[in-house]
Amino acid sequence: MNIEDALQSLGVREDTLSGEEKRRLDEDGFLLLSNMLSDAQVRAFANRLDELLEAEGDRAGVEVHQEEGTARLANLVDKDPMFETCFTHPRLLAAMAHVLGTELKLNSLNSRAALPNSGLQGLHSDWGSPVAPGDYYICNSGWLLDDFTAENGATRIVPGSHRSEKRPQDVLEDAVAAQPDEIQVCAPAGSVLVFNSHLWHGGALNNTTAPRRVIHSAFCRRDQVPQTNQREYLGADTRDRLSDAAKCVLDIL
């Protein structure tokens, strides 16, 4: 099975995204997809992440990245079947294919919880060098497990900055400081924020007493080295239960 057949099998069609949704991805660099998870799924995902964090302890997130002031987990593909929707949902895949083209694969599936009084990041893009508009290598999504608000540090972005041919970490004197054109993407739990990873973005400060939880499902071009190489990390039980289409998205078929 090739990747185009896999996307078709998973329900991706030319009209899976509207013309306006595609325009937003092209021009603004991000798209908010509503009601992607039910309330029951949000609770189940959050509870499972809590269980995994407790089980993994100080090793949580070590496969990819650990960050002070956050609770991170990595390689969620291999940690519960419920997370499969985060890399097989047709609306998500249609958005990723629009940004990257159909020759894509999963880059990583991780979670990040910004803890109280923490979570502030400098504006950044997720690629090692500037790119020309349209020549994109990576695209990310955030599956919101809590309402994202100004108070708990909803993700801040600079719309259209993915077309600037500049990285904020290269040109800003203070990437942590608020920028004139930035906005915060506030949305209810169960929503998914898709954003071109070349877009200037960063987590804001969580000023509440509860964590702000999100699962990040990122994709890259198929010819790139993924952040999490599923050929190395995927267990036999997970491999056996996945469909051929899902395996193709993971580039393990």
Side-chain angles (χ1 to χ4, degrees):
M1 175 178 284
N2 62 39
I3 185 61
E4 290 191 357
D5 289 340
L7 294 175
Q8 182 82 7
S9 176
L10 291 167
V12 179
R13 305 288 185 266
E14 181 62 31
D15 62 353
T16 302
L17 293 183
S18 69
E20 174 62 16
E21 288 171 328
K22 294 174 183 178
R23 185 197 65 77
R24 289 178 185 174
L25 283 171
D26 292 339
E27 296 184 9
D28 299 335
F30 73 100
L31 175 64
L32 191 63
L33 301 174
S34 301
N35 302 313
M36 292 281 279
L37 295 174
S38 68
D39 290 345
Q41 284 178 299
V42 168
R43 290 192 297 271
F45 278 35
N47 289 340
R48 184 65 180 127
L49 293 184
D50 287 344
E51 293 171 355
L52 290 168
L53 285 168
E54 183 175 359
E56 296 185 23
D58 61 7
R59 298 286 296 171
V62 72
E63 301 100 323
V64 171
H65 179 57
Q66 293 178 313
E67 176 189 0
E68 186 177 356
T70 70
R72 283 185 173 264
L73 290 162
N75 191 31
L76 293 179
V77 174
D78 205 37
K79 294 181 179 177
D80 200 290
M82 72 170 66
F83 299 127
E84 187 173 337
T85 191
C86 298
F87 61 91
T88 61
H89 195 292
R91 294 267 286 160
L92 175 79
L93 290 172
M96 295 296 169
H98 183 72
V99 173
L100 300 173
T102 55
E103 287 296 314
L104 53 73
K105 64 183 174 184
L106 186 73
N107 185 55
S108 58
L109 185 63
N110 309 320
S111 69
R112 180 181 187 265
L115 302 178
N117 301 309
S118 300
L120 178 62
Q121 296 175 314
L123 288 171
H124 60 279
S125 59
D126 296 334
W127 195 247
S129 60
V131 300
D135 187 26
Y136 304 128
Y137 289 83
I138 187 167
C139 188
N140 207 342
S141 68
W143 295 68
L144 279 54
L145 302 184
D146 295 289
D147 294 343
F148 268 37
T149 68
E151 290 74 25
N152 69 11
T155 302
R156 58 193 186 117
I157 62 172
V158 179
S161 55
H162 61 302
R163 295 183 281 111
S164 69
E165 300 189 54
K166 298 175 182 177
R167 302 191 316 154
Q169 54 264 56
D170 296 335
V171 299
L172 295 180
E173 290 187 9
D174 183 1
V176 173
Q179 299 301 311
D181 297 329
E182 77 172 42
I183 64 171
Q184 277 188 279
V185 184
C186 298
S191 307
V192 173
L193 171 63
V194 179
F195 59 98
N196 186 317
S197 296
H198 303 277
L199 187 77
W200 297 14
H201 64 278
L205 184 66
N206 181 359
N207 287 308
T208 71
T209 58
R212 184 189 72 250
R213 298 164 294 186
V214 62
I215 291 176
H216 285 296
S217 175
F219 286 71
C220 62
R221 287 188 190 176
R222 207 163 179 83
D223 60 356
Q224 299 300 306
V225 176
Q227 186 179 60
T228 304
N229 187 342
Q230 299 299 333
R231 295 175 185 267
E232 297 177 4
Y233 279 97
L234 210 63
D237 289 346
T238 303
R239 186 183 293 267
D240 289 345
R241 70 169 167 77
L242 290 173
S243 68
D244 283 351
K247 290 176 184 176
C248 192
V249 170
L250 299 179
D251 194 24
I252 62 169
L253 192 62

